[in-house]
Amino acid sequence: MSQPSTWYSLDWEARAEPGGDSVGPVSLETVQGWLETKSLGNRAELRKLGTTEWLRARTVLATTQALPSDAEFSGQNSSLPPRLPRPRRMFVAGGALGVAALATVLVVGYRAHWLERWRSSRALPIAAARLPGRTVLVSEARLEPNLDEFAELPPEYGASALAEFACGGVSLTRLLRASRDKDLAWLQERGLLDLLQNDAWRDALTCGDTVRKTLTAVSVGRVSFNDADKVLEVGLLRTSGGDLPGKWLHHTFSGFAGQCERPKDASNACQPGGHATFYDAPLRVVGDLDAVESFAHAYASVREDVSTNVEILDELIKLSGKSDVTTLTAKPEHVDFEDVCRRAAPVESSEAFIKACFPDGQATLIASIETKVRGLAVEQDFLTRNRVRWSKVLLARDEEAATSIEKDLIDLVRDWRSQLENNEPQLIKIYREPSTFVHDDLMRSVLDPFLRALRGMKVERHGQVVRLLADEELRPEESKTIHEFSETRRTDQSATLEIIDALLAKTPPPASSLAVFVGPEAAAWIVAPRAREEDCAALAAKLHALSSGELPPELFGAKFRLERQLTGSTCVGKALPADVKGCFLSSASLADFAKCKLPASPFVFAATSKLIGQWQVKPSADMGATEVALLKTCRLEFSETTTAFGCGAGRWTTALLVESSSSDVGSVALPFAKGIETHDFAFQKDGGLEIEKFAGAINLKFERAKFDSMLTAKPNGGT
């Protein structure tokens, strides 16, 4: 049996649709990013390397369990079932410290009570007779019906979570968390640099806030089911109804009133693969169009005899306690026991931690268990109610199979305890390594109770049901440590609330709040107003009026720079704050005009920092001896404000002008004897610099060098 992958391991192949070309290996984190940015659509599929079965990408992501990383820690509590990895809750010292994926954050402070007896009064989120016959998975979070505390929840978290869950958008809270310490290419790929220009994100956030206000019970779930050769998935909420706001079409699904996403061509047909919803008071069903249509057909066709799969799921829900998130699977192909170690593993040392945490040589035993299981309930609490707790409920084919599973689990737990006793010093050492991840800081504070819970695992059996349970109470000093840890996240929480609140109010968020996640340069760029065509036309006209007639030589370079920035297509969309625009239009001379500075793209900051320094030509194999001798005398030098270029004795200097829209390429203005020329450049993987058409049609490569600075020299033929 193959080892379960981590969220970051390159263990998967991906394709955009059934039958399409595949790419890989890729990680689940990469696939999640593609889905967020719509690089992959709703028909995307994944296949584990070494296997033949293609699975729906969103379903794979939904059932991947792990503790929160930096991208997912919110400081609030989880209520939505897992669409993304690592949804968890944690209560400490009578208060609530939420540890959850931001996409699943809705409510705080509810009290759930574990049922100590085997059976409970729990029921599936909808009547069994209305579920599709080939339902394979139901994931649910059930809360107390009292919504008094829910009313106190800041709307930002619920709006962001429901923007994704109910409205087909992106969870901006989770995306912001994920952006911390990421490079500019990552921010650009996911659209964060154009946050204020993304109307779709803002519309989805408004839609999520509307749904939040209509919730009548904070009880949400997911249903995955087979339809022909596909696995489809819908989400379930209980609301007071009402239409979703935004660009939605009214549509009827098997007799139920609903809405679907309007296509980009604004026609009166549902967008293929787009989001959809229907409402049957008080139930709202949400999901992709094909999933909602198929589910509505089954939901409308009430059956007297339910399928075997649904019978299994109905039995499992009665065997489950009131966990924060419960995932029920009928006829599971795989029972993942390593997930406990994987959820606790440090982000950058996961393989070493898992190897030290989980015993080797268990593949045959686990495969034996899997052949005897017809249903699996995973109760996904990890840190909750001042305890470390989780459980797996295995529903066997019969009592004989249950007895065999019980024996196998007892053997597994015995070997697991031995593994922990032998490797506990190594596990502690791994967590003493420095880390910048929030997940690792959290787990470091609860590693002792986590290991105690693992060592205290127990196996229980009743009839055809076997439960593997870990349950360890936190000691007072451990609760205090976790509470102190939660206090360190308040800056992130406040910044997130301010950003989402501003977007809901359709105002620019504070740059200081964005800077918490993306840094000051990117934050300033994101919030800056953008130049429109009419703005660019006014600026170009002003520049032309001021630069007519003869100009002193020292302004030639300024005129060149300003013409490149403020005329043509390069101007539209540039950051143009009101004070800078006013500076340009009120200037009385070209010299004053040149003093007005447009905000630079964060890519320009990055490219300029890479350019600064001294460079010389790197000869290539196809150069002749004479050519090498000539070009080796050519040098480039960049400071933060000045450029110098010279071959032999010639030297020219000019103001540094860099244009860049990515991390690795851009253009730079260089001073030649005949005047200023703009050349495209690209940074090389070896640290070098290639400049296109530097000498006629020849691309030249430069390498870092050291020589007497040219920047102090007097300009000689340049500007």
Side-chain angles (χ1 to χ4, degrees):
M1 184 179 66
S2 62
Q3 178 178 324
S5 68
T6 66
W7 185 244
Y8 306 95
S9 298
L10 303 176
D11 290 342
W12 299 86
E13 290 180 88
R15 64 186 184 188
E17 59 185 1
D21 294 334
S22 64
V23 296
V26 297
S27 68
L28 293 180
E29 182 191 36
T30 297
V31 174
Q32 179 65 46
W34 289 342
L35 289 169
E36 288 172 355
T37 58
K38 308 299 184 183
S39 297
L40 284 180
N42 296 317
R43 302 186 66 199
E45 294 184 327
L46 292 176
R47 178 170 68 184
K48 188 78 174 291
L49 293 179
T51 66
T52 59
E53 183 181 7
W54 285 95
L55 304 170
R56 190 165 179 268
R58 290 193 183 277
T59 299
V60 173
L61 296 172
T63 54
T64 301
Q65 309 302 323
L67 269 174
S69 69
D70 272 6
E72 297 142 7
F73 179 82
S74 70
Q76 299 292 327
N77 294 306
S78 168
S79 62
L80 294 181
R83 181 171 189 168
L84 302 168
R86 310 180 174 187
R88 291 294 176 269
R89 290 168 48 94
M90 176 169 55
F91 283 69
V92 286
L97 166 61
V99 182
L102 285 171
T104 65
V105 177
L106 275 180
V107 298
V108 295
Y110 86 89
R111 298 198 308 242
H113 306 286
W114 282 87
L115 301 179
E116 298 301 327
R117 58 185 183 274
W118 280 100
R119 293 185 179 275
S120 73
S121 59
R122 291 189 66 181
L124 293 169
I126 62 174
R130 287 185 175 271
L131 280 173
R134 300 177 66 191
T135 298
V136 293
L137 182 144
V138 173
S139 187
E140 184 190 27
R142 296 180 63 83
L143 310 183
E144 296 289 345
N146 190 328
L147 297 182
D148 290 343
E149 294 183 4
F150 175 72
E152 299 173 2
L153 176 75
E156 296 84 352
Y157 286 103
S160 178
L162 289 168
E164 181 176 46
F165 186 84
C167 303
V170 172
S171 172
L172 289 177
T173 48
R174 178 170 45 79
L175 188 58
L176 287 168
R177 299 288 177 179
S179 68
R180 181 187 293 277
D181 298 325
K182 296 297 193 298
D183 59 25
L184 291 171
W186 192 97
L187 299 178
Q188 185 182 52
E189 181 182 343
R190 285 155 179 80
L192 276 172
L193 293 182
D194 297 311
L195 174 63
L196 300 188
Q197 287 70 51
N198 196 321
D199 293 336
W201 285 4
R202 197 190 301 266
D203 290 345
L205 195 60
T206 301
C207 174
D209 196 43
T210 299
V211 174
R212 180 192 66 83
K213 294 173 182 176
T214 65
L215 290 175
T216 58
V218 189
S219 176
V220 293
R222 289 189 184 277
V223 175
S224 296
F225 56 99
N226 288 310
D227 183 7
D229 60 342
K230 300 178 294 184
V231 178
L232 303 177
E233 178 186 273
V234 296
L236 310 175
L237 306 99
R238 297 191 178 278
T239 76
S240 59
D243 288 343
L244 301 184
K247 299 177 181 179
W248 297 85
L249 289 172
H250 287 95
H251 188 79
T252 300
F253 295 91
S254 297
F256 298 104
Q259 294 171 274
C260 63
E261 189 176 341
R262 186 188 298 273
K264 293 181 180 179
D265 62 8
S267 62
N268 290 321
C270 295
Q271 171 67 38
H275 206 67
T277 179
F278 75 82
Y279 184 68
D280 181 33
L283 181 70
R284 179 177 291 281
V285 177
V286 297
D288 302 335
L289 177 63
D290 54 350
V292 172
E293 286 182 330
S294 180
F295 186 87
H297 178 75
Y299 183 81
S301 306
V302 181
R303 292 163 297 281
E304 293 184 6
D305 297 324
V306 299
S307 68
T308 302
N309 276 18
V310 175
E311 285 181 344
I312 292 171
L313 295 168
D314 195 37
E315 178 70 7
L316 285 170
I317 194 67
K318 293 180 174 63
L319 297 169
S320 304
K322 282 193 176 180
S323 174
D324 297 329
V325 180
T326 301
T327 302
L328 314 174
T329 307
K331 302 176 183 177
E333 296 182 0
H334 173 57
V335 181
D336 187 0
F337 292 100
E338 285 187 15
D339 64 336
V340 175
C341 295
R342 188 166 59 253
R343 291 198 302 271
V347 173
E348 294 182 340
S349 305
S350 59
E351 291 186 10
F353 188 91
I354 294 169
K355 185 175 181 180
C357 176
F358 192 79
D360 290 331
Q362 303 300 317
T364 301
L365 182 147
I366 294 175
S368 173
I369 292 174
E370 290 169 346
T371 62
K372 302 177 180 69
V373 173
R374 62 190 180 97
L376 172 67
V378 179
E379 298 170 330
Q380 299 163 15
D381 291 334
F382 194 81
L383 297 168
T384 184
R385 289 169 289 280
N386 213 33
R387 311 185 75 83
V388 177
R389 181 176 182 134
W390 65 87
S391 72
K392 296 182 188 294
V393 178
L394 293 84
L395 181 60
R397 297 196 314 265
D398 50 40
E399 289 199 25
E400 182 180 353
T403 301
S404 177
I405 292 172
E406 179 186 24
K407 178 181 178 301
D408 287 339
L409 285 180
I410 290 172
D411 290 344
L412 174 62
V413 169
R414 181 199 61 226
D415 293 346
W416 206 337
R417 287 187 183 126
S418 297
Q419 179 83 355
L420 294 170
E421 289 171 2
N422 294 330
N423 293 333
E424 182 170 335
Q426 182 180 352
L427 294 169
I428 294 174
K429 182 179 179 181
I430 290 173
Y431 255 109
R432 286 179 177 170
E433 294 296 323
S435 172
T436 60
F437 291 94
V438 174
H439 162 272
D440 298 351
D441 291 341
L442 168 63
M443 277 306 305
R444 188 180 294 113
S445 67
V446 295
L447 186 60
D448 286 345
F450 167 76
L451 294 176
R452 292 200 308 271
L454 275 180
R455 291 193 299 267
M457 283 185 295
K458 59 184 179 180
V459 180
E460 302 171 342
R461 183 179 69 83
H462 183 82
Q464 299 178 21
V465 183
V466 186
R467 185 193 302 264
L468 175 63
L469 175 66
D471 187 6
E472 178 68 25
E473 185 173 5
L474 298 181
R475 295 167 180 169
E477 62 273 18
E478 292 165 346
S479 296
K480 181 180 178 181
T481 299
I482 296 175
H483 182 72
E484 291 171 349
F485 166 81
S486 71
E487 292 297 316
T488 68
R489 313 313 306 163
R490 292 199 178 277
T491 298
D492 286 7
Q493 295 168 27
S494 297
T496 301
L497 292 176
E498 289 175 352
I499 293 168
I500 301 302
D501 188 52
L503 293 174
L504 283 170
K506 299 184 178 181
T507 60
S512 58
S513 298
L514 282 168
V516 170
F517 305 106
V518 302
E521 290 85 4
W525 177 261
I526 290 170
V527 301
R530 295 299 195 264
R532 301 164 298 173
E533 290 186 5
E534 53 267 35
D535 296 324
C536 295
L539 295 178
K542 183 71 173 181
L543 175 60
H544 178 73
L546 295 176
S547 58
S548 299
E550 293 187 7
L551 293 175
E554 61 268 19
L555 290 179
F556 287 162
K559 178 184 177 183
F560 172 83
R561 171 176 60 85
L562 292 166
E563 285 177 341
R564 276 187 55 84
Q565 291 180 327
L566 301 178
T567 60
S569 59
T570 59
C571 173
V572 177
K574 278 187 177 294
L576 183 64
D579 59 336
V580 176
K581 178 181 175 182
C583 177
F584 280 129
L585 296 179
S586 63
S587 296
S589 67
L590 183 59
D592 292 339
F593 196 94
K595 294 176 183 178
C596 306
K597 300 297 183 182
L598 285 169
S601 157
F603 286 107
V604 171
F605 286 102
T608 301
S609 66
K610 288 184 180 181
L611 284 173
I612 289 174
Q614 297 177 323
W615 304 82
Q616 67 182 12
V617 174
K618 181 178 181 180
S620 60
D622 58 350
M623 290 182 181
T626 303
E627 190 177 15
V628 169
L630 174 62
L631 291 176
K632 285 193 70 174
T633 66
C634 296
R635 295 180 172 89
L636 276 171
E637 187 171 4
F638 301 97
S639 73
E640 293 183 356
T641 59
T642 312
T643 302
F645 166 65
C647 292
R651 295 172 181 174
W652 297 269
T653 61
T654 187
L656 177 63
L657 174 61
V658 178
E659 298 283 346
S660 183
S661 58
S662 82
S663 298
D664 299 314
V665 298
S667 63
V668 62
L670 298 174
F672 286 81
K674 60 184 179 181
I676 299 172
E677 295 182 7
T678 301
H679 293 263
D680 293 335
F681 66 83
F683 295 108
Q684 306 296 297
K685 291 183 178 180
D686 62 2
L689 173 69
E690 182 175 19
I691 299 182
E692 293 186 7
K693 299 179 181 179
F694 189 89
I698 300 175
N699 295 351
L700 284 186
K701 292 185 178 180
F702 290 78
E703 59 187 354
R704 294 285 183 182
K706 290 185 178 181
F707 48 80
D708 292 337
S709 176
M710 298 187 293
L711 297 176
T712 57
K714 296 283 186 180
N716 181 17
T719 59

